[in-house]
Amino acid sequence: MELIKDGKRLDGRGFNELRDIKIEVGVLNRAIGSAYVEWGRNKVMAAVYGPREMHPKFLRDPTKAVLRCIYNMAPFSVEDRKRPGPDRRSVEISKISSEALSHVVMLERYPNSAIDVYVEILQADAGTRCVGLTAASVALADAGIPMKDMVASCASGKVNGEIVLDLMKEEDNYGDCDLPLAVIPRRKEVVLLQMDGKLTQDEFKKAYEVAIDGSMQVYEIQKNALLKSVNEVKIGE
Ligand code: UDP
């Protein structure tokens, strides 16, 4: 499928361009922290509960909190209705997201506790694990849970032989490779890296750099959304 024409992608983006990203902070009253992210045609909600006593008890860690990220795709979020409930894919994404977020949250401050982060995909258009992680980080910051930094995330990939940033659905489906990545921006430490497809070593190096650059751009958008929410609270007081 022809995904690149005259140096432009199907939606008119250049190779290193992100889709439009809009982040709203603190959108849910009953969660301790929350964020809603629109990223291209993706729509994702993240909600944080805790730190609270961990149940069941046998999952408690007396040295630190356990962060559980629960990624869920709504049945109406995709073209072919998705069967409700967990499947292999959502269990995998929940696991890698929990691990990525555990690198930044100061878990040792809350022994025996659980921090639950719910990521609900309301509309999916590729890259939802990156969108979910981005929303989850902002929701954790909104909850006021101590963190060393946020996690910023973005995928790159290979489409019609070109390395591009932030694949949308058509590029994900008909492209050659997808490389989702998440990073702790201040340390430039990678906390998630997956690859679906094939790349040469040189292509990988380029795609890796492109995904890091994209994640750094996402980080700026996350910070701006948080700053805006803090300023709004001050004005309202
Ligand atoms: N998708 C779908 N049905 C599913 C799972 C995924 O239609 O059951 C679509 C959805 O648009 C998703 C895309 O396929 O965003 C790419 O899925 P992938 O597993 O690569 O994860 P993602 O890129 O969303 O992190």
Side-chain angles (χ1 to χ4, degrees):
M1 184 170 169
E2 195 181 31
L3 297 164
I4 293 175
K5 217 175 165 183
D6 304 329
K8 293 271 177 215
R9 297 155 71 180
L10 287 183
D11 55 2
R13 276 186 294 156
F15 295 169
N16 292 335
E17 238 178 284
L18 286 171
R19 289 175 279 186
D20 282 338
I21 300 177
K22 209 175 78 190
I23 302 180
E24 272 181 70
V25 184
V27 283
L28 300 173
N29 288 342
R30 301 209 167 79
I32 302 204
S34 59
Y36 171 66
V37 179
E38 285 186 5
W39 180 322
R41 283 174 294 192
N42 290 304
K43 296 186 179 182
V44 174
M45 184 73 83
V48 172
Y49 293 85
R52 56 187 176 185
E53 215 167 66
M54 167 64 102
H55 290 287
K57 267 188 176 174
F58 71 87
L59 290 178
R60 285 183 189 171
D61 184 334
T63 65
K64 59 178 166 51
V66 176
L67 188 151
R68 298 182 290 195
C69 183
I70 302 104
Y71 169 102
N72 180 53
M73 211 168 211
F76 50 81
S77 66
V78 283
E79 214 171 332
D80 297 323
R81 176 185 176 276
K82 188 204 160 280
R83 194 165 175 268
D87 53 16
R88 271 174 58 127
R89 178 177 171 278
S90 65
V91 170
E92 173 217 320
I93 299 178
S94 299
K95 179 178 184 290
I96 54 157
S97 304
S98 302
E99 287 169 1
L101 295 167
S102 294
H103 285 284
V104 290
V105 177
M106 295 181 176
L107 299 173
E108 57 292 340
R109 299 221 183 161
Y110 306 101
N112 292 315
S113 309
I115 299 173
D116 291 322
V117 185
Y118 294 91
V119 169
E120 298 289 330
I121 310 299
L122 305 174
Q123 189 169 291
D125 194 72
T128 57
R129 70 196 65 206
C130 301
V131 183
L133 267 175
T134 301
S137 294
V138 175
L140 280 163
D142 179 48
I145 295 175
M147 292 157 86
K148 295 171 202 150
D149 194 0
M150 281 191 285
V151 167
S153 180
C154 188
S156 64
K158 185 176 160 190
V159 169
N160 287 176
E162 302 282 353
I163 302 298
V164 298
L165 180 67
D166 188 20
L167 276 60
M168 59 181 196
K169 183 89 175 80
E170 292 82 353
E171 295 173 329
D172 186 278
N173 281 9
Y174 305 108
D176 311 314
C177 186
D178 182 25
L179 190 91
L181 178 143
V183 66
I184 304 175
R186 277 199 285 181
R187 298 191 201 157
K188 286 237 177 138
E189 186 182 319
V190 172
V191 288
L192 180 141
L193 179 64
Q194 298 183 293
M195 187 160 114
D196 184 9
K198 281 186 183 163
L199 295 174
T200 65
Q201 231 171 44
D202 284 345
E203 284 170 345
F204 174 80
K205 274 187 198 152
K206 188 169 176 202
Y208 181 85
E209 290 303 327
V210 165
I212 292 204
D213 283 353
S215 301
M216 297 308 278
Q217 290 178 50
V218 171
Y219 186 50
E220 292 305 313
I221 301 169
Q222 287 173 298
K223 283 193 295 187
N224 285 338
L226 282 165
L227 280 173
K228 186 166 168 258
S229 82
V230 173
N231 288 334
E232 273 168 7
V233 171
K234 279 196 187 131
I235 292 161
E237 270 169 4

